[in-house]
Amino acid sequence: MLFRALFFLFCLTAGGLVGWWVKQQLQLSNGPWIGVTAGGVVWFVLDAVGAMRVLAYLRVNGNSESHGLLGVWKEVFERSRRLLRDRDRLLTESQRRLQDFLSAFQVSPNGVVLLDSQARIEWCNQTATHHFGIMAQRDLAQIIGNLVRDPGFIAYLASRDYQRSVTMPGRESSPSRPVVLSVQLHPYGDGRTLLLSRDITALEQADAMRRDFVANVSHEIRTPLTVLAGFVETLQTLELDDDERQHYLRLMAHQSTRMQTLVNDLLTLSRLEGSPAPDLSCWTPLSQLMAQIWQDALSLSRLITAEQGEMHQLVFDDKVDAELAGDVSELLSAMGNLVSNAIRYTPAGRVITVSTSKTPENGLMFSVMDTGPGIAPEHVGRLTERFYRVDRSRSRDTGGTGLGLAIVKHVTQRHSATLTIESKLGKGSVFRVDFPQERVRFKN
Ligand code: ADP
């Protein structure tokens, strides 16, 4: 400011001096005053030029140098430029942050929709697009209730009570593949709302499976328990002779064995689910497994066909000399279950073939082929579900729990093997387990 005032005085003085000199030369009495006024005008013009140059510089966003500017205008220019740069930096920074937030929301596994105070869409992420079929660009400023037409959601939106979430079917939901969404609105800011959606299909399915499982287990246990209680009451209330008592005790023993088998299978399943998969450190000769399976098959066939006088024709075609890596008891349980099913479901006298062979991929194939009733195609895909039975009474009569193939499936998965079921109604079935190369060591 001092420089500006001094420059002003300098212009006036210089103008006055020039006017005085002119007065001397031209005998002009007003010369000094005209000179002072002219000096003031020159100062004003120079000052105005400085101001205009600053404005011109600022118009191009301060992206130029202050060439030729002096004094206060140079300072005004420099300070303005610094302020502009700070503002730009802040703007860029907040834009970057906004982009970061939006990118984070974009990859969120939950659907996110930002709604304004009129429930119009301001922004949504890809998951929300997937869940509701809305698109950020296309449906911007559209009222959400016009696009998501589920009656439950519409009622929830209108209720203005967003304490709880609601469930609704997802856009891609179909009767064969239901998709369940949990949706909740969260008010924020000045009347805006955040709509969050979560795919809870798997949770709902797990919950339904758990409910079914508990209902099935209760049912399976209640039946033999009711029978047992009935026999106990009979023994307590009726006068029975020795033969009758023995008969009832045999029936009671049968029911308690059934419950024991069921509990054992349930424990096996929960152990399989709760423990890590067997590694490759324990190798068992295949011949040892086959010998055990053969013994168990003979005993079971003898027991089942005792009253029919004729056993099954058991063929063991185990020419492969190999070792299998895994848990021996699990392997025995899976292979044994397949053989025991074949024996239980195949009528006495018919052929059951158990074979092993090397696969083209250098793995091991274990298969059980029976000549029993076979299984209709619509059942085949569901056989490994817990408690799924095609022939309920035959399963129960032969001591089945409905858990055998579920155990087989778990064991094969834990050994990186695959279970394949092929069956022809009236002809028989083949249950085949393929072990991968890394779990087999061939000796011949
Ligand atoms: P279960 O204890 O009832 O045998 P599984 O899980 O082992 O239970 O088998 C499920 C159902 O699959 C059985 O109830 C039976 O209906 C059918 N099944 C299994 N193996 C055979 C087979 N070899 N032949 C015909 N049906 C079979």
Side-chain angles (χ1 to χ4, degrees), residues 224-238 240 245 248-249 251-253 255:
L225 262 183
T226 314
V227 179
L228 261 180
F231 289 147
V232 170
E233 204 181 313
T234 309
L235 286 174
Q236 281 172 335
T237 51
L238 292 183
L240 300 169
R245 184 172 286 113
Y248 281 116
L249 285 174
L251 292 175
M252 287 168 78
Q255 293 303 330

Side-chain angles (χ1 to χ4, degrees), residues 341-342 344-345 370 373-375 383 388-391 395 400-406 429 431:
N341 276 356
R344 284 168 41 233
Y345 294 105
D370 65 51
I375 304 155
L383 292 181
Y388 190 84
R389 293 162 165 126
V390 182
D391 185 344
S395 160
T401 59
L403 296 173
L405 290 178
S429 318
F431 289 78

Side-chain angles (χ1 to χ4, degrees), residues 322-346:
E323 284 181 328
L324 257 183
D327 184 298
V328 189
S329 63
E330 285 185 26
L331 290 170
L332 267 176
S333 149
M335 294 165 153
N337 254 308
L338 294 180
V339 178
S340 109
N341 276 356
I343 293 171
R344 284 168 41 233
Y345 294 105
T346 306

Side-chain angles (χ1 to χ4, degrees), residues 2-203:
L2 183 65
F3 175 79
R4 188 172 155 83
L6 286 175
F7 185 60
F8 180 61
L9 284 176
F10 170 77
C11 287
L12 294 184
T13 314
L17 285 173
V18 171
W20 181 77
W21 181 78
V22 169
K23 177 189 167 189
Q24 299 297 320
Q25 300 298 315
L26 302 177
Q27 300 300 313
L28 205 69
S29 61
N30 286 341
W33 292 115
I34 293 171
V36 168
T37 310
V41 170
V42 167
W43 176 86
F44 179 75
V45 169
L46 286 175
D47 202 54
V49 167
M52 273 153 57
R53 284 178 68 185
V54 169
L55 280 176
Y57 287 142
L58 292 180
R59 237 174 255 131
V60 290
N61 232 354
N63 281 333
S64 57
E65 292 305 316
S66 57
H67 295 304
L69 280 175
L70 290 169
V72 73
W73 291 119
K74 184 177 166 88
E75 197 175 329
V76 166
F77 173 77
E78 290 296 345
R79 286 195 185 184
S80 309
R81 192 165 68 162
R82 221 173 298 136
L83 281 174
L84 279 174
R85 281 196 181 157
D86 286 352
R87 188 206 63 179
D88 283 353
R89 206 175 328 111
L90 274 176
L91 204 67
T92 318
E93 178 70 8
S94 43
Q95 268 173 350
R96 197 184 54 76
R97 285 224 182 123
L98 183 66
Q99 276 313 318
D100 285 351
F101 276 125
L102 292 182
S103 308
F105 280 140
Q106 205 55 273
V107 296
S108 160
N110 294 337
V112 180
V113 186
L114 303 182
L115 302 172
D116 69 7
S117 54
Q118 308 297 312
R120 287 183 299 231
I121 298 167
E122 288 188 320
W123 184 87
C124 73
N125 68 353
Q126 274 163 8
T127 315
T129 300
H130 192 59
H131 284 172
F132 302 114
I134 53 176
M135 278 166 100
Q137 259 117 52
R138 190 193 60 198
D139 299 323
L140 203 73
Q142 295 280 337
I143 294 175
I144 186 87
N146 291 343
L147 302 174
V148 181
R149 301 296 306 158
D150 177 71
F153 176 74
I154 302 275
Y156 175 63
L157 191 66
S159 75
R160 301 236 150 237
D161 173 15
Y162 306 141
Q163 298 287 325
R164 63 193 174 92
S165 58
V166 281
T167 53
M168 58 173 274
R171 181 179 62 119
E172 289 167 355
S173 190
S174 67
S176 57
R177 291 193 66 192
V179 177
V180 186
L181 299 179
S182 165
V183 175
Q184 188 160 15
L185 285 156
H186 302 272
Y188 75 99
D190 47 352
R192 289 188 152 78
T193 32
L194 171 74
L195 170 65
L196 291 182
S197 60
R198 197 158 54 99
D199 189 335
I200 54 163
T201 314
L203 273 176

Side-chain angles (χ1 to χ4, degrees), residues 299-352:
S299 324
L300 185 65
S301 175
R302 214 169 278 139
L303 190 77
I304 285 185
T305 58
E307 284 159 19
Q308 292 147 60
E310 186 187 20
M311 277 181 60
H312 295 99
Q313 297 178 45
L314 296 173
V315 181
F316 268 57
D317 181 15
D318 56 336
K319 293 186 207 79
V320 179
D321 192 6
E323 284 181 328
L324 257 183
D327 184 298
V328 189
S329 63
E330 285 185 26
L331 290 170
L332 267 176
S333 149
M335 294 165 153
N337 254 308
L338 294 180
V339 178
S340 109
N341 276 356
I343 293 171
R344 284 168 41 233
Y345 294 105
T346 306
R350 299 232 190 127
V351 183
I352 293 167

